[in-house]
Amino acid sequence: MPALRHRIRALAVGIGAFALVAVAAGGTFAASNPATLYACYDVYGNVKMSDTAQCKLAGGGRLVSWSTVGVPGPTGPQGATGATGPTGPAGPGTVLTAIVDASGALFVSSLPPGATLNVTRGGPGAYVITVTGLGTGWCPLPTFTVVGPPPTFMWLLSAACGAGTISANVATNDGADHLFLLTVTGTTADAGGAGIQSLQTTVGTQSTSIP
């Protein structure tokens, strides 16, 4: 009886080795069900691989099987938190808008955070516009649209500007007081932004008049 047990154990080891060789060679028994391998053996040493869960030895035999799918491993630990990236550059300049009546008073205005706007009437059709805290560049850019009969428009006579500020003297071309629309666009910082820059101009902004 001990000899018989030893022989059966040896046959089982041989079946395992044969199964591995057959899998590596791409045997047809594994093609129909690659997740499970089958084999039959009897006490006389007869071994045959099978593509089904049935023994195909003459006179039957014992059926053995192997799973080709391993047991799932444990979940790995969570990875470390990534480093915080650098702060991005400042966004584009902000925009200030307003409607100014003929006396220089602000009728409606929309100011971004940190910006200020002041308009004073210096005489018939003449106004001083002062803006601060708009953008980070050296000179915010003003534009005007006069509410008056065509071809009424606004002259930009002179201006001084620094980092995010501008003080401009403007006047209507007909020398009369008019309600006008004002837009000032802040710019971003540049290499030429240091110090105060002065502008002198005789070119008016040719915005379309509103009758």
Side-chain angles (χ1 to χ4, degrees), residues 101-206:
D101 70 15
S103 68
L106 296 178
F107 184 68
V108 175
S109 63
S110 175
L111 280 66
T116 66
L117 168 64
N118 184 59
V119 180
T120 58
R121 179 179 176 275
Y127 305 90
V128 178
I129 298 169
T130 304
V131 175
T132 66
L134 190 65
T136 58
W138 69 272
C139 193
L141 305 175
T143 57
F144 312 88
T145 301
V146 178
V147 179
T152 307
F153 58 87
M154 191 79 77
W155 294 107
L156 176 60
L157 302 177
S158 64
C161 50
T165 69
I166 185 170
S167 180
N169 294 294
V170 299
T172 58
N173 68 314
D174 62 358
D177 294 335
H178 293 284
L179 182 145
F180 62 92
L181 282 62
L182 169 66
T183 300
V184 186
T185 303
T187 58
T188 55
D190 54 27
I196 298 295
Q197 306 291 332
S198 294
L199 303 176
Q200 298 292 332
T201 180
T202 56
V203 179
T205 57
Q206 300 292 335

Side-chain angles (χ1 to χ4, degrees), residues 46-68:
N46 299 312
V47 180
K48 184 175 183 181
M49 301 303 296
S50 175
D51 58 358
T52 67
Q54 296 180 354
C55 284
K56 296 185 177 181
L57 289 173
R62 291 195 62 178
L63 178 70
V64 294
S65 63
W66 299 265
S67 174
T68 61

Side-chain angles (χ1 to χ4, degrees), residues 67-78:
S67 174
T68 61
V69 179
V71 178
T75 302
Q78 182 175 352

